[in-house]
């Protein structure tokens, strides 16, 4: 399982991605890098953490055994052992993990990264049963991978009538002007590695919702995107109150599918109350399966499933078949990438694109050009 997680990570990242070097080093050496912090030379035994210089065996205020390296009466680094595991790395004068270090716990989990007051804080690599986490840690909790943005990533937008309307005013889209110039207010400009003027590589257009609603701009937008030669796909907004079979037929009857199109997408965004009203998450998943099966049978490719990070955390484990067999488009707005395998990340709901007046949902493919081409080879409409 761990080897598969490492392979998945390495396939979708490059050395410019934050934390890549940690994963590459672990893949090559395992946790042997911890030995760099093992003090060398003769060792003395002391009862306190105040010691001149050199190597010493001491106990800290919590009774933890420390083999440390001292300079000018200050503990600098070493190896610390207790009942929960052992730490190797930089320390402060109280024997706390502080700075760069490694930790191997008694349950087999592993961490390399940065620490403050014995808590993981900053960039780190966490490994445990079935998971690999690379990214930012705050107060000992994993927050997520922080992506750096540059022009060689694959960006896309998803649109509906809201990109044509603001209040009572309507706006055309100037399709040949499309360039992303703002990622939205939640994305730090520090993550942007070059001039923010990115091309749009793919467009998803809302086609239908429920069993009666159609996007009146769909046909014109679909024609315009095809005319530009961009990758195009269509999506359906799922209703929890109507038949999934009727919804699938409504979507198929009002959507254009051509060979090479991006896979259709099922947009699932019900509130907890709506999920409860329809009978709970298992009933919802059964309804989703019906829609997915009907659409796949017609267009010849598995649809994408669009959900948000909260839905993943609360419900997705109840549908292991969907998790294993479908591609996912995850919405999580802000700095941190979703902590789940995915193909597309919707990172912002308030981005700005030249040629479109209202705000736009911005998305980035999880990988680079090679993975994008592979995705297109295996997941487009046949």
């Amino acid at each position: 399982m761990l080897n598969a997680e490492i392979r998945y990570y390495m396939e979708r990242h490059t050395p410019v991605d934050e934390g890549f070097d940690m994963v590459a080093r672990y893949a090559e050496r395992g946790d042997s890098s911890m030995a760099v912090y093992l003090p060398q030379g003769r060792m003395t035994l002391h009862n306190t953490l105040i010691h001149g210089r050199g190597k010493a065996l001491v106990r800290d205020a919590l009774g933890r055994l420390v083999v440390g390296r001292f300079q000018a009466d200050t503990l600098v680094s070493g190896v610390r052992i207790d009942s929960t595991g052992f730490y190797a790395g930089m320390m402060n004068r109280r024997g706390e993990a502080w700075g760069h270090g490694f930790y191997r716990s008694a349950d087999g989990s592993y961490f390399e990264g940065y620490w403050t007051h014995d808590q993981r804080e900053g960039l780190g690599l966490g490994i445990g049963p079935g998971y690999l986490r690379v990214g930012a840690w705050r107060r000992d909790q994993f927050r997520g991978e922080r992506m750096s943005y540059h022009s060689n990533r694959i960006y896309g937008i998803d649109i509906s009538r809201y990109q044509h309307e603001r209040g009572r005013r309507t706006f055309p889209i100037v399709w040949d002007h499309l360039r992303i110039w703002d990622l939205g207010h939640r994305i730090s400009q520090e993550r942007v590695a070059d001039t923010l003027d990115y091309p749009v590589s793919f467009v998803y257009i809302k086609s239908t919702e429920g069993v009666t609603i159609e996007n009146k701009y769909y046909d014109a937008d679909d024609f315009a995107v095809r005319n530009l030669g961009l990758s195009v796909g269509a999506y359906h907004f799922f209703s929890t109150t109507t038949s999934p079979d009727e919804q699938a037929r409504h979507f198929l009857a009002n959507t254009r599918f051509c060979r090479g199109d991006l896979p259709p997408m099922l947009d699932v965004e019900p509130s907890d109350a709506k999920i409860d009203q329809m009978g709970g998450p298992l009933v919802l998943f059964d309804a989703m399966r019906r829609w997915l099966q009907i659409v796949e049978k017609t267009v010849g490719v598995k649809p994408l499933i669009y959900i948000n990070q909260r839905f993943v955390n609360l419900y997705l484990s109840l549908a292991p078949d969907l998790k294993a067999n479908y591609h996912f488009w995850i919405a999580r707005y802000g700095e941190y990438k979703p902590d789940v395998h995915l193909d597309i990340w919707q990172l912002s709901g308030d981005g700005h694109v030249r040629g479109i007046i209202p705000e736009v949902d911005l998305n980035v493919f999880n990988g680079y050009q090679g993975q994008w081409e592979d995705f297109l080879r295996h997941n487009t409409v046949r």
Side-chain angles (χ1 to χ4, degrees):
M1 177 66 78
L2 175 58
N3 289 337
E5 289 295 311
I6 292 176
R7 185 165 55 252
Y8 175 84
Y9 179 92
M10 299 295 284
E11 286 174 351
R12 293 177 178 265
H13 294 78
T14 73
V16 303
D17 293 315
E18 190 175 66
F20 180 90
D21 57 332
M22 289 182 176
V23 181
R25 185 166 55 247
Y26 186 88
E28 180 181 357
R29 306 176 189 173
D31 61 9
S32 61
S33 298
M34 298 175 73
V36 71
Y37 286 110
L38 185 65
Q40 302 298 313
R42 294 183 60 186
M43 180 173 65
T44 58
L45 180 62
H46 285 264
N47 293 323
T48 72
L49 287 174
I50 299 177
H51 177 65
R53 60 180 299 169
K55 177 183 177 182
L57 175 64
V58 299
R59 288 190 181 275
D60 66 9
L62 298 177
R64 298 175 296 190
L65 193 64
V66 179
V67 180
R69 183 170 63 88
F70 289 78
Q71 288 183 352
D73 286 332
T74 300
L75 178 62
V76 175
S77 64
V79 176
R80 190 186 67 206
I81 304 169
D82 59 30
S83 61
T84 63
F86 62 92
Y87 169 81
M90 300 173 69
M91 298 178 178
N92 63 14
R93 63 174 60 244
R94 292 188 295 272
E96 296 173 328
W98 189 290
H100 179 264
F102 304 83
Y103 186 76
R104 170 69 73 181
S105 69
D107 66 6
S109 60
Y110 170 84
F111 177 82
E112 177 195 354
Y114 292 86
W115 302 74
T116 300
H117 291 304
D118 274 343
Q119 292 190 327
R120 293 165 289 186
E121 187 75 22
L123 176 63
L125 160 67
I127 293 174
Y131 72 80
L132 180 149
R133 292 172 178 159
V134 186
W137 301 70
R138 294 288 182 271
R139 298 181 181 178
D140 220 34
Q141 299 297 315
F142 181 62
R143 296 294 301 277
E145 178 183 342
R146 296 183 302 177
M147 182 177 287
S148 60
Y149 298 96
H150 37 78
S151 56
N152 63 345
R153 291 196 182 276
I154 311 300
Y155 299 96
I157 60 176
D158 59 276
I159 62 173
S160 63
R161 70 178 180 86
Y162 296 107
Q163 278 63 56
H164 291 276
E165 301 176 358
R166 177 181 285 172
R168 296 184 178 182
R169 299 181 64 190
T170 60
F171 305 94
I173 293 178
V174 185
W175 288 102
D176 57 358
H177 287 186
L178 291 190
R179 303 287 292 190
I180 298 170
W181 63 270
D182 177 41
L183 297 178
H185 77 280
R186 298 188 185 184
I187 305 300
S188 169
Q189 292 302 304
E190 295 178 357
R191 311 306 305 168
V192 179
D194 50 19
T195 302
L196 213 172
D197 182 30
Y198 301 153
V200 173
S201 296
F202 64 91
V203 180
Y204 267 86
I205 308 167
K206 181 177 180 179
S207 174
T208 54
E209 178 177 341
V211 297
T212 59
I213 298 173
E214 301 170 29
N215 174 15
K216 63 182 179 181
Y217 300 100
Y218 169 77
D219 287 331
D221 287 348
D222 179 74
F223 178 81
V225 175
R226 294 179 188 280
N227 195 47
L228 281 176
L230 300 180
S231 296
V232 63
Y235 73 92
H236 173 80
F237 191 93
F238 194 72
S239 167
T240 59
T241 60
T242 54
S243 161
D245 296 54
E246 293 180 18
Q247 290 189 64
R249 288 192 289 269
H250 179 54
F251 175 68
L252 293 169
N254 292 282
T255 306
R256 183 180 298 108
F257 300 100
C258 299
R259 184 179 178 85
D261 284 356
L262 293 171
M265 181 262 278
L266 179 62
D267 184 345
V268 183
E269 303 183 47
S271 65
D272 294 341
K274 288 186 176 181
I275 293 174
D276 289 341
Q277 288 170 7
M278 73 179 301
L282 295 181
V283 176
L284 170 62
F285 285 127
D286 282 341
M288 290 169 58
R289 289 185 186 98
R290 284 294 301 161
W291 190 98
L292 295 165
Q293 291 163 1
I294 293 170
V295 172
E296 179 182 353
K297 184 176 180 180
T298 300
V299 303
V301 65
K302 288 183 182 296
L304 281 167
I305 301 174
Y306 172 100
I307 50 180
N308 61 37
Q309 178 78 66
R310 184 175 182 276
F311 188 97
V312 171
N313 296 341
L314 288 179
Y315 300 119
L316 192 57
S317 62
L318 300 175
D321 58 316
L322 297 182
K323 190 174 181 180
N325 297 322
Y326 285 86
H327 296 275
F328 284 86
W329 182 337
I330 310 295
R332 183 185 186 186
Y333 295 165
E335 192 81 1
Y336 302 108
K337 185 176 175 182
D339 183 25
V340 65
H341 288 194
L342 75 161
D343 284 277
I344 299 174
W345 171 26
Q346 187 178 92
L347 60 105
S348 173
D350 62 348
H352 292 93
V353 176
R354 289 188 179 87
I356 303 177
I357 299 299
E359 296 173 333
V360 186
D361 293 339
L362 300 183
N363 306 276
V364 60
F365 177 73
N366 187 24
Y368 289 89
Q369 187 63 37
Q371 292 78 36
W372 175 244
E373 292 173 358
D374 185 68
F375 178 81
L376 295 179
R377 278 194 297 271
H378 295 99
N379 299 285
T380 51
V381 175
R382 299 179 179 88

